Amino acid sequence: MATTVRRSTRTLPAAPLGPENPLPALLPRGEAHVLDGAERAALPPEMARQVGYAPLRSVLPTRVLDGYGRQRTPTALETIVLENARLRAAVHPGLGGRLASLFHKPTGRELLYTNPVFQPADFALNGAWFSGGVEWNIGATGHTTLSCAPLHAARVPAPGGDGAMVRLWEWERLRDTPFQVDLWLPEESDFLYVGARIRNPHHRTVPVYWWSNIAVPESPGTRVLAPAEESWYFAYERTLRRIPVPEWEGVDLTYPLGSRFPADYFHEVPARSRKWIAALDEAGQGLVQTSTDLLRGRKLFVWGAGPGGRRWQEWLSEPGTPGYVEIQAGLARTQLEHLPLEAGGEFAWLEAYGPLGTDPETVHGADWAAARAHTEERLESALPRGAVEEAYAAWRPCADVAPEGGPADGWLASGSGWGALEVERGGFTLPGTPFPPETMGEEQRPWTALLHTGTLPGGPDHLPPGPTLVAPEWRELLESADADPNSAVAGAASRREVDYHLGVAQWHAGDRSQAVRSWERSLEQGARWFALRCLAVADRQEGNGARAAERCLAAVHDARERLAPSDPLAEAALTALAAEAVEALLAQDRAQDAEQVLAILSRQQQERGRCRLLRARVLLAQGDTAGARALFEAGFEVEDLREGEEVLSDTWAALTSDPLPARYDFRMRP
């Protein structure tokens, strides 16, 4: 059978993503994978430099996705299917290009963990993320902001003229780097090849991050093997330490259920060793991933056997379904590191995914060295290391080949218009990854006007301002922007939005005093709630909690009067403002005012889990312990509970010394 590429769908019970949060994410969102200076000082020099290199100040210019729920309905999700005589691969172009399925026909085995539902949860850098398959994580430490975003996709001739491959590409906005992922199945191959490339089109060095996260089925007999005798252990206590592999403190941690709490194990793979990682079941069968040497890192992530990890597994799917573990491959040794990519440079590599059969007695025997050697021998027999290098060399010239057709005729899917906007601004030439002007939409329209006319149009009062661009080049354009010349009213609207967006860009650059001045000017020009909210964030950072609470409260009341109540984006803005206001007011012992803020929200929003939790905290602050506990006993689900967030267990502990109910136990550390 010749390799084929076709469009299809995959129908799953799915929760809708909901609207974006219109409030700019001015602060980091509590990424769990961070180390303090003392921890970094104890690391090897290269690792210490890369751990401390270019951490994110925020997830700007992207917006937070937190409007999803947990009510699922059957939904047809778009897929692109690649198939030969032995493998069938399915990709979700509208969900970060996720490789959702890799089915091996001769054995009838699904090699990946395929989630039976689509359930967003707050694990991505900007919120919504879902478990299962293989995700392409680019940008910065954590799950990519593209987890639930569309990518461009098109057919491209495969290396050697062996049919077609599928190219996925987009503009990664945190670091302003275009990237591509090319997938193809050589005829009669048991392995899916994946060519990946990240480019830096700028005249400055940029920080780069990449990890391919591979979800595989979890079972009591699953063992994860990699060519390593040591590993860097990182857990939610936020410490990084070197430990032996496979056994540490009397437990063989290459069996994922040997861990009690969620943890990362970053394997120390020798520089000259072949780069691979495999997850094999009781029968010695499973998935192996290998790559060219540039992709040096290998990692095992486990949820562990404790109640918190098991609850998260249920949360991300549904009770009664099998769990998963992640085997991963990255550019650095750990996910805490970023690498510099020089101006005009690129990182490129090739990965291969396929089935592996081994002798179970050897793989699960007591001798770790023998198990590793046997697994690598079987891999070499199935896919020689030299064959991977040859496939990479054959792919490299194809990486610049233009995709077939265009966004309106021939492409398999279209992503965002942000890449087209950046190409138009920078005049970049990016062979193989076109970003044509026709992919731009309404969100890019005002920025195109700024680029070509020096004027940023003002938006309507009844809707939140659009997203802000924060790169240095856009900040310079904002600094020199003119008011809309068409009318005094339009000019005032334009001026207040320019100052608002300029403040966001200045804040992102670390110039906080100038940001405050810009927001104050925006306020003088007639801006209200969006400028007040930004100033409240600045107040909190300066330690002025009382003024922050006042400004949060004023922002909520102003937004309630100005925003269109029927618009989803306006409702999302009011809900987000209210949540921030309640937090600020509770910090100032103003529980009565916090209660009144929650009462402003629609009945539908008040019933969401986050608001019910806030309500319980307000009751607790008012001394109504019984009322707060009644809310817990009635039951609620905090839809946007963040990875590592401990507010549920902390609030329960403030209510009672009784054991935390299982439904609220998401604890990821002792």
Side-chain angles (χ1 to χ4, degrees):
M1 161 181 187
T3 300
T4 61
V5 174
R6 68 180 190 276
R7 288 191 182 97
S8 186
T9 58
R10 180 172 173 240
T11 299
L12 295 176
L17 279 171
E20 294 179 328
N21 185 331
L23 307 187
L26 299 175
L27 302 176
R29 300 192 66 244
E31 166 57 38
H33 294 80
V34 293
L35 292 177
D36 62 26
E39 286 279 338
R40 290 201 303 270
L43 299 176
E46 181 195 46
M47 186 185 293
R49 284 194 305 272
Q50 293 177 172
V51 168
Y53 174 52
L56 282 186
R57 294 189 180 97
S58 72
V59 297
L60 291 168
T62 65
R63 282 179 156 180
V64 172
L65 285 169
D66 58 5
Y68 49 84
R70 294 189 59 80
Q71 297 298 314
R72 300 188 284 263
T73 58
T75 305
L77 302 177
E78 180 185 5
T79 61
I80 299 170
V81 178
L82 300 85
E83 188 168 9
N84 67 5
R86 304 185 68 79
L87 281 175
R88 183 170 61 248
V91 172
H92 285 309
L95 296 169
R98 184 78 60 99
L99 177 61
S101 171
L102 187 61
F103 183 78
H104 188 235
K105 297 179 184 180
T107 59
R109 293 174 63 94
E110 172 57 58
L111 301 178
L112 302 174
Y113 167 75
T114 58
N115 197 329
V117 304
F118 172 71
Q119 178 55 64
D122 194 356
F123 277 69
L125 287 166
N126 64 334
W129 172 87
F130 65 103
S131 64
V134 181
E135 56 179 314
W136 320 110
N137 283 304
I138 180 173
T141 296
H143 294 282
T144 176
T145 60
L146 295 165
S147 292
C148 293
L151 270 55
H152 302 294
R155 293 179 180 87
V156 182
D162 195 8
M165 64 180 174
V166 172
R167 174 162 299 155
L168 305 164
W169 75 99
E170 246 300 354
W171 194 279
E172 199 288 310
R173 302 178 65 208
L174 295 182
R175 305 301 197 182
D176 268 338
T177 49
F179 73 99
Q180 69 190 80
V181 177
D182 291 352
L183 305 97
W184 77 100
L185 287 169
E187 191 171 350
E188 300 297 325
S189 173
D190 278 319
F191 282 82
L192 172 70
Y193 288 153
V194 179
R197 175 167 65 166
I198 305 170
R199 286 188 276 193
N200 177 10
H202 305 289
H203 297 296
R204 62 181 185 275
T205 299
V206 298
V208 166
Y209 171 94
W210 181 280
W211 282 81
S212 301
N213 286 18
I214 308 147
V216 293
E218 173 194 72
S219 70
T222 298
R223 192 177 205 191
V224 174
L225 300 99
E229 295 182 354
E230 291 184 310
S231 181
W232 292 92
Y233 164 77
F234 183 85
Y236 287 79
E237 300 94 321
R238 299 190 179 185
T239 58
L240 186 67
R241 68 183 80 174
R242 195 195 299 252
I243 65 171
V245 176
E247 189 172 308
W248 183 50
E249 295 184 345
V251 178
D252 188 334
L253 297 172
T254 62
Y255 290 91
L257 290 175
S259 295
R260 179 164 175 78
F261 289 94
D264 299 325
Y265 300 94
F266 299 102
H267 294 307
E268 190 69 57
V269 178
R272 295 183 179 275
S273 295
R274 183 174 184 179
K275 307 304 185 286
W276 60 270
I277 190 167
L280 305 174
D281 64 13
E282 298 91 333
Q285 305 291 315
L287 174 89
V288 64
Q289 186 269 3
T290 188
S291 71
T292 49
D293 286 355
L294 182 68
L295 205 66
R296 64 179 291 189
R298 291 299 184 274
K299 170 194 162 183
L300 165 64
F301 167 75
V302 301
W303 283 109
R310 305 330 293 171
R311 182 69 179 105
W312 272 116
Q313 292 260 35
E314 292 180 348
W315 185 255
L316 296 171
S317 183
E318 56 186 5
T321 58
Y324 73 95
V325 300
E326 288 180 0
I327 57 175
Q328 305 182 13
L331 286 173
R333 279 186 289 189
T334 74
Q335 286 177 328
L336 288 73
E337 302 169 68
H338 301 117
L339 277 63
L341 178 57
E342 65 185 11
E346 66 178 42
F347 289 142
W349 65 92
L350 184 128
E351 304 179 48
Y353 296 79
L356 192 66
T358 62
D359 173 51
E361 292 186 5
T362 305
V363 164
H364 296 290
D367 190 331
W368 172 243
R372 285 189 351 249
H374 170 71
T375 304
E376 188 159 340
E377 287 170 5
R378 289 295 177 91
L379 170 59
E380 186 67 20
S381 177
L383 183 65
R385 187 177 189 178
V388 174
E389 297 292 342
E390 291 170 5
Y392 173 71
W395 167 71
R396 287 298 282 122
C398 300
D400 284 345
V401 174
E404 296 178 5
D409 180 24
W411 285 7
L412 297 167
S414 291
S416 77
W418 295 114
L421 180 65
E422 293 299 334
V423 167
E424 188 162 322
R425 183 201 58 74
F428 304 123
T429 301
L430 299 167
T433 55
F435 295 95
E438 57 265 38
T439 59
M440 285 194 275
E442 191 62 26
E443 285 191 321
Q444 290 79 43
R445 183 188 61 79
W447 298 96
T448 305
L450 176 64
L451 181 63
H452 293 297
T453 70
T455 299
L456 187 75
D461 274 353
H462 67 280
L463 293 176
T468 303
L469 298 183
V470 297
E473 298 83 358
W474 290 108
R475 190 171 71 250
E476 291 174 6
L477 288 170
L478 286 168
E479 287 170 348
S480 59
D482 297 321
D484 192 324
N486 293 326
S487 71
V489 173
S494 172
R495 187 68 255 167
R496 68 174 177 249
E497 288 220 10
V498 166
D499 285 329
Y500 160 73
H501 288 299
L502 177 58
V504 174
Q506 289 166 331
W507 180 273
H508 178 72
D511 193 350
R512 296 190 169 183
S513 59
Q514 287 294 340
V516 168
R517 292 189 187 99
S518 294
W519 291 326
E520 288 173 343
R521 287 197 306 271
S522 182
L523 206 59
E524 292 168 1
Q525 291 285 344
R528 293 298 299 167
W529 65 266
F530 47 91
L532 282 169
R533 181 264 175 175
C534 291
L535 289 167
V537 173
D539 287 335
R540 287 201 301 275
Q541 292 301 104
E542 293 170 3
N544 194 337
R547 190 166 65 183
E550 280 298 325
R551 281 176 162 164
C552 280
L553 192 58
V556 168
H557 289 299
D558 184 67
R560 186 189 183 195
E561 292 178 3
R562 292 174 184 256
L563 292 176
S566 59
D567 185 87
L569 205 59
E571 184 178 41
L574 182 59
T575 302
L577 285 169
E580 290 188 3
V582 169
E583 296 281 3
L585 291 164
L586 287 177
Q588 297 300 308
D589 297 322
R590 295 175 59 179
Q592 186 64 34
D593 289 330
E595 181 179 30
Q596 292 173 1
V597 167
L598 290 176
I600 288 173
L601 298 177
S602 68
R603 174 61 59 182
Q604 181 181 7
Q605 290 301 320
Q606 289 183 34
E607 289 302 315
R608 284 180 62 86
R610 178 65 65 177
C611 286
R612 289 176 67 80
L613 174 60
L614 289 171
R615 172 67 176 154
R617 292 175 59 199
V618 167
L619 289 171
L620 183 61
Q622 293 173 328
D624 188 357
T625 304
R629 178 159 183 166
L631 285 173
F632 272 84
E633 290 174 347
F636 58 86
E637 294 181 323
V638 180
E639 299 90 345
D640 61 336
L641 190 70
R642 183 132 181 91
E643 175 188 13
E645 187 176 2
E646 297 177 346
V647 64
L648 282 170
S649 52
D650 288 348
T651 305
W652 179 262
L655 289 171
T656 177
S657 60
D658 291 347
L660 180 67
R663 68 179 300 172
Y664 301 118
D665 192 353
F666 292 88
R667 291 173 292 188
M668 302 181 79
R669 60 177 179 164

